[in-house]
Amino acid sequence: MAIFSKKFFRKVFLCASCLGMAPLAMADVVVIINPANAAGIDEEQIAKIFLGQTKTFSNGSEATPIDQKEGAVREEFGNKFLKKNPSQLKAQWARQIFTGGAKPPKELSSDDEILKFVANTPGAIAYIDSSKVNKSVKVVKH
């Protein structure tokens, strides 16, 4: 068993340790919209909007999706609502951009920026960590 070095086992242990801590990094994500938006929104509609398959809400009003920068909140949103991991999402958007299809949603850097944008933009739809929700937005999905 001298084939494997101590360095190899350290790397395996480090990777396993990081994987063990991954659930602690998961965010409790909620989907938010502008409070004036009266459209009915379900998980299918959320996925279609964020995957570039539609540009409108169920009532026909324009949807402006906003993504988080890469991180735990974005990853949890992708897994929970889009049923795709970060690699799958990147690949899908690369294909759509290459074929002249839809453009990915605009990205904002923080929950605070997203809250402000959604509160001030009638067609905005975004997601944030549930602990950051305030009265300036309406939560449509947990």
Side-chain angles (χ1 to χ4, degrees):
M1 286 302 222
I3 297 173
F4 298 109
S5 68
K6 287 182 182 180
K7 195 174 191 179
F8 170 78
F9 284 111
R10 271 190 237 136
K11 286 181 181 179
V12 169
F13 177 76
L14 181 61
C15 289
S17 297
C18 289
L19 289 173
M21 293 188 315
L24 298 176
M26 297 307 267
D28 183 22
V29 177
V30 294
V31 178
I32 59 172
I33 60 173
N34 183 281
N37 189 337
I41 301 169
D42 60 14
E43 288 189 22
E44 182 180 354
Q45 185 76 18
I46 292 166
K48 284 182 177 181
I49 290 169
F50 278 92
L51 294 173
Q53 297 167 350
T54 186
K55 295 181 180 193
T56 60
F57 290 107
S58 58
N59 65 0
S61 63
E62 185 179 350
T64 305
I66 300 297
D67 258 335
Q68 293 262 359
K69 292 284 185 185
E70 290 184 14
V73 174
R74 184 171 177 161
E75 186 172 343
E76 178 65 14
F77 173 78
N79 290 331
K80 184 175 180 179
F81 291 101
L82 307 181
K83 310 297 186 233
K84 296 185 183 295
N85 65 41
S87 297
Q88 291 169 318
L89 285 170
K90 282 182 183 179
Q92 178 172 337
W93 281 114
R95 281 191 305 274
Q96 286 187 350
I97 291 167
F98 181 74
T99 60
K103 293 180 184 175
K106 177 181 178 177
E107 291 182 2
L108 293 178
S109 299
S110 69
D111 288 328
D112 291 334
E113 280 185 55
I114 290 172
L115 282 166
K116 185 176 179 179
F117 183 86
V118 172
N120 293 312
T121 309
I125 180 168
Y127 54 91
I128 60 172
D129 187 291
S130 64
S131 67
K132 304 293 183 164
V133 172
N134 63 34
K135 294 179 181 182
S136 70
V137 297
K138 179 165 60 172
V139 174
V140 291
K141 284 292 172 190
H142 295 268

